[in-house]
Amino acid sequence: KEKAAILEICNETDCRVRVVPGIYQLVNGDAILDAVKDIQVEDLLGRKAVKLDQSALDEFLGGKIVMVTGGGGSIGSELCRQIAKCKPQKIIVLDVYENNAYDIQQELHHVYGERLKLEVVIASIRDKERIYSIFERCRPEIVFHAAAHKHVPFMEENPGEAIKNNVFGTYHVVRAA
């Protein structure tokens, strides 16, 4: 997270950003300063980047009505960005938090304009009747379920909320689908 935050600041400048080997690698002789390189996505992830089969995704998502629950969250919004590239018939962003939903809506409108049919629905997956009603009206063909409480320490302190959202909310989404 710290690397990503620093890179974000650096990207706002005209500076060239490079990665230097870790101090322990240098001290142990496992790396040399010649190993300085331009920053790559893998440097931030701590793993190899996943390569997507874009043609398979285009075929799977293209022309379809796709819903993303938790569509304004960190995972859901990235799903929306990737789905938008595949030319779906429509993306339905479902989120309980209007600020997050608004942010991804504005971003996608800015990038795709009228080429992307987008609907934002504010709702909680905990609300069974509302979820069933949304599915009945929108008729999504594909659903990416990313609505969840994901901060484990908070959920360990609030297990009832975790169960209501992550278990019963998921149950409502699955049954509605």
Side-chain angles (χ1 to χ4, degrees):
K1 286 182 181 178
E2 288 178 38
K3 280 184 185 179
I6 292 167
L7 180 61
E8 194 170 310
I9 292 167
C10 293
N11 281 338
E12 293 175 11
T13 71
D14 291 329
C15 296
R16 183 174 179 192
V17 180
R18 304 191 80 194
V19 178
V20 177
I23 189 74
Y24 294 110
Q25 292 171 309
L26 290 170
V27 170
N28 292 337
D30 295 335
I32 56 171
L33 280 178
D34 291 341
V36 173
K37 61 184 177 77
D38 290 327
I39 195 155
Q40 303 293 318
V41 169
E42 293 85 357
D43 297 319
L44 297 174
L45 294 175
R47 61 172 171 77
K48 293 273 187 211
V50 174
K51 300 287 187 221
L52 300 177
D53 182 344
Q54 193 61 49
S55 63
L57 289 171
D58 291 345
E59 184 178 331
F60 180 65
L61 298 168
K64 303 275 181 27
I65 299 171
V66 182
M67 176 183 282
V68 181
T69 69
S74 56
I75 295 168
S77 62
E78 184 59 28
L79 282 168
C80 290
R81 288 181 197 98
Q82 297 300 320
I83 293 164
K85 294 176 186 176
C86 301
K87 299 182 180 129
Q89 178 183 333
K90 180 182 191 178
I91 298 177
I92 302 157
V93 177
L94 189 145
D95 205 294
V96 71
Y97 300 111
E98 68 177 283
N99 289 345
N100 293 351
Y102 178 80
D103 289 344
I104 190 64
Q105 176 195 49
Q106 293 305 301
E107 178 184 333
L108 293 174
H109 276 319
H110 176 74
V111 173
Y112 295 96
E114 297 299 317
R115 295 174 305 195
L116 178 65
K117 191 170 180 188
L118 184 65
E119 180 178 349
V120 175
V121 179
I122 304 301
S124 171
I125 61 169
R126 294 179 178 200
D127 185 340
K128 176 182 168 184
E129 286 76 27
R130 176 93 167 112
I131 293 301
Y132 277 62
S133 171
I134 292 164
F135 272 74
E136 182 65 32
R137 180 180 60 79
C138 296
R139 309 296 290 173
E141 298 169 82
I142 299 170
V143 179
F144 288 90
H145 179 50
H149 288 316
K150 61 182 182 179
H151 296 96
V152 175
F154 287 155
M155 295 305 100
E156 287 174 339
E157 305 248 338
N158 301 280
E161 296 305 305
I163 290 168
K164 282 191 270 187
N165 197 72
N166 295 2
V167 176
F168 292 114
T170 297
Y171 182 75
H172 300 326
V173 170
V174 169
R175 294 289 298 183

